[in-house]
Amino acid sequence: IAQGLHLSRDERDHLFHLAGHQAPARGGSGTHISPGVLRILDRLTDTPAEVVTELGESLRQTPLGVALFGDLTHFTGGERSIGYRWFLRPGARDITPPEDHEFYSRLYTSGLRSVLAKRGPESSAARYVEDLLKRSEEFRELWKEHEVGVRPREIKCYVHPSVGLLELSCQVLHDPETSHALLVYTAPPASESYEKLQLLAVVGAF
């Protein structure tokens, strides 16, 4: 109800209080999206976009975002995190070209190390690290390198089963109150990738 009404976190907490419930804990892994970010997302009707937590957990996607990536909001547990899925879920890497896989493995490992340093040993990040160290040899080897500061590339390449290769810019809007990020994927007008996004809007979901 609170999310549908675009309530602020203070308003949401008050709603929980009125209903006789404890409000969800605040922090970097919270799922409440701020009203301002929701208003922006609601206007991106013809653009792939999503709101994610600092652990890469998709909270909401635009329709074209679902068409591009599939519905990423239905995952539960550790698989809510794109980095967790990258190392453990079969097929999670299919949308990225094979030549980019090594880079993304480094990116997600570095990102998880950064969140762990920020949130501490009792955080969701700590639980993800513990599980990945047990279950992924690739992650264990990368974790030993202690690499930090790996940044996303300006242009992201995706291979969609219906429209093929897309080269997209990813603009990021950070919400400092929630530690969420709004990711917006665009292509220059009249470019091949722009035309493919137009086609994707017609052919539908992943």
Side-chain angles (χ1 to χ4, degrees):
I1 295 174
Q3 200 73 86
L5 293 174
H6 289 198
L7 301 183
S8 69
R9 290 202 296 179
D10 288 337
E11 292 168 334
R12 177 207 65 179
D13 291 352
H14 184 58
L15 182 63
F16 270 86
H17 173 71
L18 293 176
H21 298 288
Q22 180 70 35
R26 301 192 180 198
S29 61
T31 61
H32 182 79
I33 306 171
S34 70
V37 171
L38 279 175
R39 286 192 292 269
I40 297 172
L41 189 72
D42 288 345
R43 284 160 174 76
L44 299 174
T45 56
D46 61 348
T47 305
E50 60 180 331
V51 178
V52 302
T53 70
E54 61 188 2
L55 288 169
E57 302 158 329
S58 294
L59 301 179
R60 186 170 295 194
Q61 299 169 275
T62 61
L64 196 50
V66 175
L68 177 59
F69 297 113
D71 182 0
L72 303 178
T73 64
H74 75 280
F75 292 107
T76 59
E79 288 197 346
R80 293 178 59 223
S81 167
I82 186 173
Y84 188 98
R85 294 196 304 273
W86 179 264
F87 289 103
L88 296 180
R89 184 177 178 85
R93 306 184 182 196
D94 291 351
I95 197 169
T96 58
E99 58 269 23
D100 290 345
H101 288 184
E102 180 183 0
F103 169 76
Y104 278 106
S105 293
R106 293 173 48 235
L107 176 70
Y108 294 138
T109 303
S110 170
L112 189 52
R113 187 181 296 279
S114 175
V115 178
L116 175 61
K118 183 190 304 182
R119 300 301 175 187
E122 303 300 322
S123 63
S124 295
R127 292 191 295 274
Y128 290 176
V129 169
E130 182 180 7
D131 203 17
L132 287 168
L133 287 172
K134 292 178 181 177
R135 301 176 60 189
S136 171
E137 175 64 26
E138 180 187 12
F139 181 81
R140 284 195 296 272
E141 292 304 313
L142 289 170
W143 193 254
K144 292 176 184 176
E145 297 180 9
H146 296 275
E147 186 175 22
V148 296
V150 180
R151 301 300 180 194
R153 291 169 175 166
E154 182 178 352
I155 302 297
K156 299 178 181 291
C157 296
Y158 299 107
V159 182
H160 191 276
S162 297
V163 299
L165 179 67
L166 298 103
E167 297 181 347
L168 305 175
S169 297
C170 180
Q171 280 71 46
V172 183
L173 173 64
H174 290 283
D175 183 345
E177 182 180 357
T178 62
S179 296
H180 295 164
L182 172 62
L183 311 182
V184 183
Y185 302 87
T186 63
S191 67
E192 183 177 354
S193 291
Y194 179 87
E195 299 299 330
K196 288 181 178 180
L197 283 180
Q198 301 297 106
L199 176 59
L200 189 59
V202 176
V203 300
F206 186 85

